[in-house]
Every structure is written in structure tokens, then in C-alpha cells.
């Protein structure tokens, strides 16, 4: 996902046509200090392994426990799969580069990584919106929940989110990689993210800025508006509940989702919605690390700690009775 970047002056077509095109990029990563890189390697390795274990466990629990075969957990399993794939798109390569002298990625590899990363990120924003709608129906129309959130609708929302991700990511990638890249080829980032790659373009990127702004509005502000509208209705309904215990129970079903959306979307907004972004590459790398790695790492913890159904399914899977929880 990328929305708005500072414009760079066009380089005369003749000047870049006379230069050879870039066939590979060098990802500079975080540090040139070998000792620092080894520390980061073990830190990110732990985060990645826990991300794989945590998200994989949530998907498994939802799959094997019949009590979790509901729309809410269907979308949660999608979120876990997206987080797992999201981190896998960038972290293994980052780990290799941290301990390897070679930090290159081929032009084709960069394009593929960019496209997959964008597809997963865009899809995730719309899955968040679908999850918010699910909570809205569950709390505001509990008696009609089974009818309104039918299996057909859930699948339709999931497929629509994926199609939106696939299509919009293709537009982003085509517009970015159609630009000439004639050198230098050093990307000051730990993976091929569009803002960092565009800085190496040997041409005017004003058209990219316009496309980024239009798609950014569609892909970030619209889902966030739908989420906000859903929770306004949800909180209005919760306030009408007379029982304090009932209010707490109703709110607890939304707390995990609100936390996860906040962790993912706020860094994205800071990263991409700044007009003519002036942030340093180091700040951009930290933000990207947060919504790419940290968010995927924390999501299983948030959902397992605040969700009794998930914890019950886990204890059942490992053979512990509910009495021993």
C-alpha cells in the first residue's frame, strides 16, 4: 500500500535511455555493523517463529473446533493467514540479508515481493472492515445474526477483499515498475516497498503520486470509514444495555478487533498519508517494521488473551479439561 510521495523532478528521457537498466537492487537494511545485524537476526527470528506458531495455531484451532465455525472466527482465521503470509513475504529474506554479505534482490524478485506484499496488505484492510460489520450485526441484530451473516455473505466478503487486493496491487506495481530504473540501485529499506523503490526512478513520478492518492483514498479511508461507522452503531447499542455486565461482555467481543485495527492502520496512515512525505528512511523502516512484523506478532497474543473461546479450544486441543484452566 502506498498513497502519496514527494514528487521528484523528471530526468530528460535521453539521459536515462543512454544508461543501462537496473537488473537487481541492493537492500541496505538496518545497519552495516555485523554485531548489530546478528542481534537483529536473533530478535527478528524469534518474532517470526512466534508469528508463524501463533497465527498457525489460531488457524488450526478454528479449523478443528466446531464451536469456532462462526463468521467471526472465519474472518479471524483469514486475518491470521494474511498476517502469516504478510510476514513471510519479507522477514525470511530480511533474516538472510542480516547475516549475509550479499544483500541483493533481482528486479523480478523485487516486483514479485512488492506485488504480493501489496496484495496481502490491501486485502487485510478490507477484511478488517468485514470483521467490523460482523460485530455490528452480532451486537445490533443478535436475533438475525445467523441469517444476515450467512456463509454465502462471508465467502463473498472474503473473495471481494481478495479481488480488491489483487487488482489494486497490480495497478500500484505496474505504475511503479513501468518507470525507468537506471541507477543507483541501493534501496534504503529492508524489502521492496514502493515508497523506497520510487526514490530510485529516473523519471517524473507525478502520475504515480496521483494514482497513489486516488487508490489510497479507496483502500484506506473507505475501509476505516466503514469500521468507524460500524463501531458508532455498536457503541450506541452497547450504551442502551442496562446491565453493566452485559455492556462489558458486548464490548469485550470488539476490544480485540479495535486493538488490532489500531495497531495496523495508524502506522499505515502515518507512513502513507503524509502529504509529500519528508520522513527519513530510518523512520519509514521503523513504521514498516511495525505494521509488517510487530502487528503480525502481537495479533495472536491479543486474540488468545482476550478470547475465552480460543483459549478453551486450545486447552481442548492439548488435552486439558476446562476444569484445569
Amino acid at each position: 500500500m502506498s498513497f502519496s510521495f514527494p514528487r521528484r523532478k523528471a530526468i530528460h528521457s535521453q539521459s536515462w535511455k543512454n544508461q543501462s537498466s537496473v537488473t537487481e537492487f541492493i537492500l541496505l537494511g538496518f545497519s552495516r555493523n555485523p554485531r548489530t545485524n546478528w542481534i537483529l537476526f536473533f530478535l527478528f527470528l524469534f518474532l517470526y517463529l512466534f508469528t508463524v506458531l501463533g497465527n498457525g495455531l489460531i488457524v488450526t484451532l478454528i479449523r478443528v473446533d466446531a464451536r469456532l465455525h462462526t463468521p467471526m472466527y472465519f474472518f479471524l482465521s483469514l486475518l491470521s493467514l494474511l498476517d502469516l503470509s504478510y510476514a513471510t513475504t519479507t522477514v525470511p529474506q530480511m533474516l538472510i540479508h542480516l547475516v549475509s554479505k550479499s544483500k541483493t534482490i533481482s528486479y523480478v524478485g523485487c516486483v514479485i515481493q512488492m506485488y504480493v506484499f501489496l496484495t496481502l496488505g490491501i486485502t487485510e484492510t478490507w477484511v478488517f472492515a468485514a470483521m467490523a460489520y460482523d460485530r455490528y450485526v452480532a451486537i445490533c441484530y443478535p436475533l438475525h445474526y445467523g441469517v444476515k451473516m450467512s456463509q454465502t455473505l462471508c465467502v463473498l466478503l472474503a473473495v471481494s477483499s481478495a479481488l480488491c487486493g489483487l487488482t489494486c496491487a497490480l495497478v500500484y506495481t505496474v505504475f511503479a515498475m513501468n518507470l525507468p530504473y537506471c541507477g543507483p540501485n541501493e534501496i534504503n529499506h529492508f524489502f521492496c516497498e514502493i515508497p523506497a523503490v520510487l526514490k530510485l526512478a529516473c523519471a517524473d513520478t507525478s502520475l504515480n503520486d496521483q494514482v497513489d492518492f486516488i487508490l489510497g483514498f479507496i483502500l484506506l479511508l473507505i475501509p476505516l470509514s466503514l469500521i468507524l461507522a460500524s463501531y458508532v452503531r455498536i457503541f450506541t447499542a452497547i450504551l442502551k444495555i442496562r446491565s453493566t455486565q452485559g455492556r462489558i461482555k458486548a464490548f469485550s467481543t470488539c476490544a480485540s478487533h479495535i486493538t488490532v485495527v489500531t495497531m495496523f492502520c495508524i502506522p499505515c496512515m502515518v507512513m502513507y498519508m503524509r502529504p509529500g512525505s519528508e520522513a527519513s528512511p530510518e523512520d519509514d523502516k521503523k513504521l514498516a517494521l511495525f505494521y509488517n512484523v510487530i502487528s503480525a506478532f502481537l495479533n495472536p497474543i491479543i486474540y488468545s488473551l482476550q478470547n475465552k473461546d480460543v483459549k478453551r479450544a486450545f486447552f481442548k486441543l492439548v488435552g486439558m479439561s476446562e476444569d484445569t484452566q
Side-chain angles (χ1 to χ4, degrees), residues 116-172:
V116 173
F117 182 82
L118 286 168
T119 298
L120 295 170
I122 294 168
T123 301
E124 186 158 331
T125 60
W126 287 100
V127 169
F128 282 141
M131 295 174 76
Y133 177 73
D134 170 72
R135 292 299 83 210
Y136 159 71
V137 174
I139 293 175
C140 297
Y141 301 97
L143 299 180
H144 302 91
Y145 179 67
V147 176
K148 287 181 175 290
M149 292 302 298
S150 64
Q151 183 178 9
T152 301
L153 178 60
C154 291
V155 172
L156 180 61
L157 289 173
V159 172
S160 299
S161 299
L163 288 176
C164 182
L166 290 166
T167 305
C168 294
L170 182 62
V171 175
Y172 271 127

Side-chain angles (χ1 to χ4, degrees), residues 300-313:
I301 299 175
I302 293 170
Y303 279 106
S304 63
L305 289 179
Q306 297 189 19
N307 193 301
K308 293 182 179 180
D309 292 332
V310 172
K311 289 191 286 187
R312 185 184 300 114

